Amino acid sequence: MPTYERLKGFRDFYPPEMAVRREVTDTLESVARRYGFREIDTPRLEPAEMWTDKSGDDIVDELYAFEDHGGRHVTLSPELTPTVARMYAAKAQALSKPVKWVSTRPFWRYEAVQQGRFREFYQTNIDVFGSSEPTADAEVLATAADAMTELGLTGDDFEFRVSHRDILGSLLRSFDADVDVRAAIRAVDKSEKVDEAEYLDLLHDAGLGFDEARDFDDLLGVTDPADLDELTDFAPESDELAAAVDNLRAVLAAADDFGVGDYCDLSLRTARGLDYYTGAVFECFDSTGEVGRAVFGGGRYDDLIEAFGGQPTPAVGVAPGHATLGLLLERAGVAPDAAIETDYYVLRVGDTRDVAARVARDLRAAGNVVETDVAGRSFGAQLGYADSINAETVVIVGEQDLANGEVTVKDMATGDETTTPVEEFPGDRDRPTYDDFAP
Amino acid sequence: MPTYERLKGFRDFYPPEMAVRREVTDTLESVARRYGFREIDTPRLEPAEMWTDKSGDDIVDELYAFEDHGGRHVTLSPELTPTVARMYAAKAQALSKPVKWVSTRPFWRYEAVQQGRFREFYQTNIDVFGSSEPTADAEVLATAADAMTELGLTGDDFEFRVSHRDILGSLLRSFDADVDVRAAIRAVDKSEKVDEAEYLDLLHDAGLGFDEARDFDDLLGVTDPADLDELTDFAPESDELAAAVDNLRAVLAAADDFGVGDYCDLSLRTARGLDYYTGAVFECFDSTGEVGRAVFGGGRYDDLIEAFGGQPTPAVGVAPGHATLGLLLERAGVAPDAAIETDYYVLRVGDTRDVAARVARDLRAAGNVVETDVAGRSFGAQLGYADSINAETVVIVGEQDLANGEVTVKDMATGDETTTPVEEFPGDRDRPTYDDFAP
């Protein structure tokens, strides 16, 4: 007899784990919905060329790619962006701008499995397309921050470290050296994970002299937006830098107006690993540092829609990953309750199925979670099952009670029980409990 | 510049289509939840052996199967059952029985694309494990029927054609001939799709004489449960048949008690195509016949958990597919509304972002869907956008109004507008509209 095992890096969500994920998903989506993000959904499988055409991307080595029965090169999506770029390009004319989309779904990457990192992982992608205004960046920050607080986190639990790709890029370009800007930005992204010598080596490999690397890194130490003048003073000839500094200040000011400025810290050493970001970027961190890496991140990627065949379209977004977010919620002690909840168990004794079924139907019609016997069990076994599913109230429909025209209502927390006329139960009560009938 | 196309048989869900799918999904899941089904979720990728080990299954030819970077034979799941069987077997001891699970997710089969049939398709699976009682079958029928009526369908729109695999099997075994029962049941499953001669040929190929085939098919014409005696009279020596008839009657009687008997028609010529069913089976049909094939189906499959390595475990379930269900909802004129809905657009004029943001935050905190300008647009452009997202109310936060301490509240259906003190807006009103302030 064969037995099978789940693939490594994939998860089974039994009801307790699923209850947690459902609550996190519903909270993220509901906050995004209130901001006017509209839900979309997307194919799990896409032409592999959407990733392989862009050579040099680490993602390609991690693809679950294969040839389908029709000879197409296909892949499970490792990220959403190329797909929404494809969708946006396909209907750009008809869509009312700005386009604000939200979706939650799994993605797949064949990479090393570790705590909070799986080969099948869930993200909620929240994106604004068609606005280059700092208010769009700020709205994404505000949506993410509101979702965090709605999940029960406070400003003591998390911080958004906000940076700007064009500040990093224009600073790097202001040096006389021939700098590989992408490599240098990747070095900045690694600065917190490697020691200083290695970091400076990486900047040197990217084309900076060691003194320049030190100067550059010193400039990134600015944490007060007012001090960003130090950067423009350093490279006064760079209009690009001045514009980027203005833009970052405008994003932070809008985030302030939007009520989430307190969650945002200027942190130029935050760079984001992916090449495609173009403006403001940010990463969410555990303020205590216990969750040792970025919980999630986001930012502006104005060139990507065009790269995937669309008209030039500014875009900014954020993509909370549910696994790392779950680690932060646990660390902060606010992970959703995994316990199964049941409002009623309708217990049948003897030949009372029609009445018990009527009671269960009425309770369900009012929106309650109601179970009843579908296994032909004894009184005691039914009561034990009711307890195992955390039933709040048990309604006992017994032959003897029914002969008196009554049912018994039992509070499972206290064990108290009383009887009430079956004809009036539940009547027009939405959620009757023992207390409504207590003698 | 590369452009990419979606794979054939896959769908992009833009917000209007997604709103429809979301409403259908939420309704199915919410009805199941009220019946005490608990949500689970499952890997999209599984070891291919879970399907290929069972040779002879048509599904294998349709698998999206491949070898991963670790040399594992893996496949996108074409159905849920082997996965829940694996999950049930892995935790059978710890699970409180009966186990009642619900989940909605996509599955994949490489097959011909036609109306209502895609290569990536969504199903809500609803299953009871651990009870062989007819009440469990009836609860699955009741959950499915309640979901249909909750979606707006009536008894004039759909019917559940209920049959029983053991009645078909024991009848077939009651003939003297050496009958291939699986082949004969597959012939019954095709009876509505082929002409009579071909149907009788298929039964003949399965081992029945032509006279026997006619007798067998005549017996399947019974539509009143009371007339099931004709079957037991035909084969009085078959205890298996008598037990199966009793079981089917008990399922229908329980469905009656559960309030959904009116949706259930006895229909022995309904057989379900899949081999693994073992007891009562049913298919949902469009009563008008306009949707020409089964909308979805379900039934009892008591041997499958064991086949996937678990202890012998009775099981019964149903799996509404969202695409065919959508066809039925459209035919019946009750498809959910695809229009985007927005409660408020907060329109900014001049330097009023902080106040406008405060108003938007307060409205969102009360649960409303609220958009505001993130694209730096003019008054007219903002009003046009508000109209394009079907905003019910526009709150205009303008510099001049603010100088008087007021905002303007505009009803987008009538165009009526009035002003109200900004300090008191929205105040403690959850959803203020023009009517609340009309002069």
Side-chain angles (χ1 to χ4, degrees), chain A residues 22 39 97 131 374 377, chain B residues 22 39 97 131 374 377:
Chain A
R22 167 61 62 185
E39 191 180 13
K97 269 71 105 185
S131 170
V374 292
R377 284 205 270 221
Chain B
R22 167 60 63 186
E39 190 180 15
K97 267 73 97 183
S131 170
V374 293
R377 284 205 270 223

Side-chain angles (χ1 to χ4, degrees), chain A residues 161-239:
Chain A
R161 298 186 188 164
V162 185
S163 181
H164 201 290
R165 275 296 178 87
D166 282 349
I167 292 180
L168 300 177
S170 54
L171 263 184
L172 288 162
R173 279 184 285 271
S174 76
F175 289 97
D176 287 333
D178 184 19
V179 181
D180 178 340
V181 171
R182 287 191 169 189
I185 285 178
R186 267 185 243 122
V188 174
D189 182 53
K190 286 187 183 151
S191 61
E192 303 256 327
K193 298 158 201 154
V194 299
D195 64 27
E196 194 189 358
E198 190 175 344
Y199 169 44
L200 293 175
D201 276 348
L202 287 168
L203 287 176
H204 185 257
D205 292 346
L208 287 176
F210 281 107
D211 287 343
E212 292 172 321
R214 263 182 239 279
D215 286 347
F216 173 67
D217 184 59
D218 281 348
L219 290 167
L220 303 190
V222 167
T223 57
D224 184 336
D227 295 338
L228 286 169
D229 290 340
E230 292 175 22
L231 278 62
T232 43
D233 290 347
F234 179 83
E237 75 293 344
S238 172
D239 294 340

Side-chain angles (χ1 to χ4, degrees), chain A residues 353, chain B residues 134 137-139 141-142 250-262 264:
Chain A
R353 194 174 64 195
Chain B
D137 306 65
E139 183 161 274
L141 282 164
V251 169
L252 292 170
D256 262 338
D257 276 354
F258 290 177
V260 298
D262 288 348
C264 299

Side-chain angles (χ1 to χ4, degrees), chain A residues 139-157:
Chain A
E139 182 162 272
V140 166
L141 282 164
T143 307
D146 279 2
M148 300 296 271
T149 55
E150 188 106 346
L151 284 165
L153 297 164
T154 72
D156 293 335
D157 294 317

Side-chain angles (χ1 to χ4, degrees), chain A residues 295-311:
Chain A
V295 178
F296 60 83
R300 182 164 283 282
Y301 53 101
D302 286 347
D303 299 336
L304 212 56
I305 302 281
E306 191 178 6
F308 283 98
Q311 292 296 311

Side-chain angles (χ1 to χ4, degrees), chain B residues 45-57:
Chain B
L45 211 58
E46 289 275 15
E49 291 77 18
M50 284 170 58
W51 284 270
T52 56
D53 281 352
K54 291 173 45 190
S55 58
D57 195 332

Side-chain angles (χ1 to χ4, degrees), chain B residues 51-202:
Chain B
W51 284 270
T52 56
D53 281 352
K54 291 173 45 190
S55 58
D57 195 332
D58 287 346
I59 286 176
V60 170
D61 296 331
E62 300 173 350
L63 290 179
Y64 280 92
F66 59 102
E67 198 170 298
D68 77 6
H69 288 301
R72 298 174 194 84
H73 295 279
V74 298
T75 186
L76 286 165
S77 312
E79 58 177 351
L80 187 66
T81 309
T83 294
V84 290
R86 177 180 65 63
M87 283 174 65
Y88 185 92
K91 291 217 181 174
Q93 299 302 320
L95 294 166
S96 175
K97 267 73 97 183
V99 166
K100 297 166 63 177
W101 284 343
V102 59
S103 70
T104 301
R105 48 159 286 187
F107 299 94
W108 299 267
R109 293 189 193 187
Y110 193 88
E111 59 184 338
V113 176
Q114 57 184 86
Q115 199 193 24
R117 182 173 293 166
F118 300 90
R119 289 178 176 166
E120 177 173 69
F121 56 96
Y122 283 79
Q123 283 183 349
T124 298
N125 278 261
I126 297 168
D127 295 280
V128 181
F129 303 97
S131 170
S132 54
E133 291 292 309
T135 41
D137 306 65
E139 183 161 274
V140 166
L141 282 164
T143 307
D146 279 2
M148 301 295 272
T149 55
E150 188 106 347
L151 284 165
L153 298 164
T154 72
D156 294 334
D157 294 317
F158 73 95
E159 63 203 37
F160 290 164
R161 298 185 189 166
V162 185
S163 181
H164 201 290
R165 276 296 178 86
D166 282 349
I167 291 180
L168 299 176
S170 54
L171 264 184
L172 288 162
R173 279 184 285 272
S174 76
F175 291 96
D176 287 334
D178 184 19
V179 181
D180 179 340
V181 170
R182 287 192 168 188
I185 286 177
R186 267 184 244 124
V188 173
D189 182 53
K190 286 189 182 150
S191 61
E192 304 253 330
K193 297 160 203 155
V194 299
D195 64 28
E196 195 189 359
E198 189 176 345
Y199 169 44
L200 293 174
D201 276 348
L202 287 168

Side-chain angles (χ1 to χ4, degrees), chain A residues 124-127 140-141 143-144 277 282 296-299 301 316-320:
Chain A
T124 298
N125 279 261
I126 297 168
D127 296 281
V140 166
L141 282 164
T143 307
Y277 287 107
F282 70 98
F296 60 83
Y301 53 101
V316 57
V318 61

